[in-house]
Amino acid sequence: MTSRSQVRRLLADGLGYEEAGRRLGVPAGKTFLIATGLPADGGGTLTTAEQHRPGMPGRSTEHLAGPPAVNPTSDDATRHWLRLRAVADGPMRRAARERGVRPEGERAPDDVRDLTDVLTHDHDRLTALVKQLQTLPGTGQGATEAQQRRGRAVADVLAGTPASHAPAERRGLWPLVREALDDGGRAADRALEQDDEEARTRAELRRTPPDDEDFDALAERVGAQVRRHIAFADAVFARLRETVPQDVRERLGAEVVRAWRDGPPPPGAQEAPP
């Protein structure tokens, strides 16, 4: 059994409680308790006499009380165990296979008419896809082949979904912004630059295999770009609701919804300039 004199002798030699405990084969918190008779977690209020007991350091001792923090999900053995459990779980594997990859919810519910609400609703669907992609483990996190395939499928849908969302904004939103807001031209130009940058990243993500280390970084970049686009659009929407009559917003919203339901324009059709 470790004695108080053993601990205090090591402390007198200049060792800290962690090193003293390591040499004695005793946890640091217990070493402190042996030396001082006090718990290392600092519970309660110490009297003046307790504060000056032999072995009391001049700083907090709470770090001695608990074991070092460990993240079990970063351990190779834990990841291997989780993979084995996932493979053995038949119902979960079947549910994963049957679950389709698609944006959540209806794109244009009947009770959503205002242009700003229509586009906000579609933004929510894009956000849900980004969350699906970013909750999947990446190659650097030990993703299984099934998880990589899932990531590929979500990335493809995420890359294709804005194919009709961005044109809707170019035809219905940004021309309105240019006309209705004092700084609308600058706002529209900035938004279109963001759209072009985001489109390039999505195209690069679509070309990158899911087992490539760049896939994870591209997925993170797409998520950041989508969030930036939505935050910027939300600020513009708030200003449009204050300056543009509701009937105008609803008319433009109906045009966007009708275009979505009718499908993309025929090949070779010219899109109106933003």
Side-chain angles (χ1 to χ4, degrees):
M1 176 180 289
T2 303
S3 67
R4 178 171 294 179
S5 60
Q6 287 178 297
V7 175
R8 288 185 175 176
R9 192 160 47 245
L10 292 175
L11 296 177
D13 290 340
L15 301 183
Y17 279 105
E18 294 93 335
E19 178 60 20
R22 188 186 67 78
R23 294 194 181 189
L24 296 170
V26 177
K30 186 174 181 180
T31 306
F32 177 81
L33 178 63
I34 293 171
T36 64
L38 298 170
D41 62 4
T45 301
L46 300 181
T47 65
T48 301
E50 288 173 334
Q51 294 173 5
H52 291 86
R53 285 188 182 184
M56 288 295 293
R59 60 189 180 90
S60 171
T61 60
E62 291 185 15
H63 66 287
L64 304 175
V70 176
N71 180 4
T73 61
S74 66
D75 180 77
D76 289 340
T78 302
R79 285 198 294 265
H80 178 68
W81 178 82
L82 288 171
R83 283 196 291 269
L84 292 179
R85 288 295 302 270
V87 169
D89 193 328
M92 287 296 291
R93 291 173 60 199
R94 184 167 57 254
R97 287 194 301 269
E98 293 173 354
R99 182 186 175 194
V101 178
R102 60 185 181 277
E104 297 180 0
E106 184 183 354
R107 187 168 205 177
D110 291 337
D111 59 342
V112 178
R113 299 182 180 86
D114 187 313
L115 173 67
T116 61
D117 293 335
V118 168
L119 294 175
T120 295
H121 195 76
D122 216 39
H123 284 162
D124 292 343
R125 301 167 84 243
L126 283 173
T127 299
L129 283 171
V130 170
K131 288 181 179 178
Q132 282 190 53
L133 184 60
Q134 294 184 333
T135 54
L136 289 167
T139 300
Q141 300 169 309
T144 64
E145 290 186 11
Q147 289 168 333
Q148 290 178 358
R149 289 195 298 271
R150 179 78 180 179
R152 169 80 281 155
V154 176
D156 288 345
V157 175
L158 179 60
T161 298
S164 57
H165 178 90
E169 290 187 335
R170 288 174 181 262
R171 287 193 299 267
L173 174 63
W174 302 123
L176 175 64
V177 169
R178 292 183 189 278
E179 180 182 345
L181 303 181
D182 292 339
D183 59 344
R186 289 195 301 272
D189 289 342
R190 180 182 173 189
L192 293 172
E193 289 174 2
Q194 291 179 354
D195 284 349
D196 291 341
E197 180 183 349
E198 186 182 328
R200 288 192 294 271
T201 305
R202 289 197 310 271
E204 189 176 355
L205 176 64
R206 199 167 192 171
R207 292 192 300 267
T208 303
D211 58 353
D212 190 309
E213 291 184 358
D214 290 341
F215 186 89
D216 300 345
L218 287 167
E220 286 294 328
R221 192 191 309 170
V222 165
Q225 290 172 340
V226 168
R227 288 191 295 271
R228 181 187 63 181
H229 168 81
I230 291 174
F232 183 78
D234 284 346
V236 171
F237 293 164
R239 296 176 63 191
L240 289 179
R241 293 185 187 107
E242 294 177 353
T243 57
V244 177
Q246 183 172 350
D247 63 323
V248 174
R249 302 197 311 267
E250 290 187 355
R251 175 177 58 79
L252 292 172
E255 291 177 4
V256 167
V257 172
R258 186 161 51 249
W260 284 344
R261 289 176 176 168
D262 292 344
Q270 296 296 316
E271 181 178 309

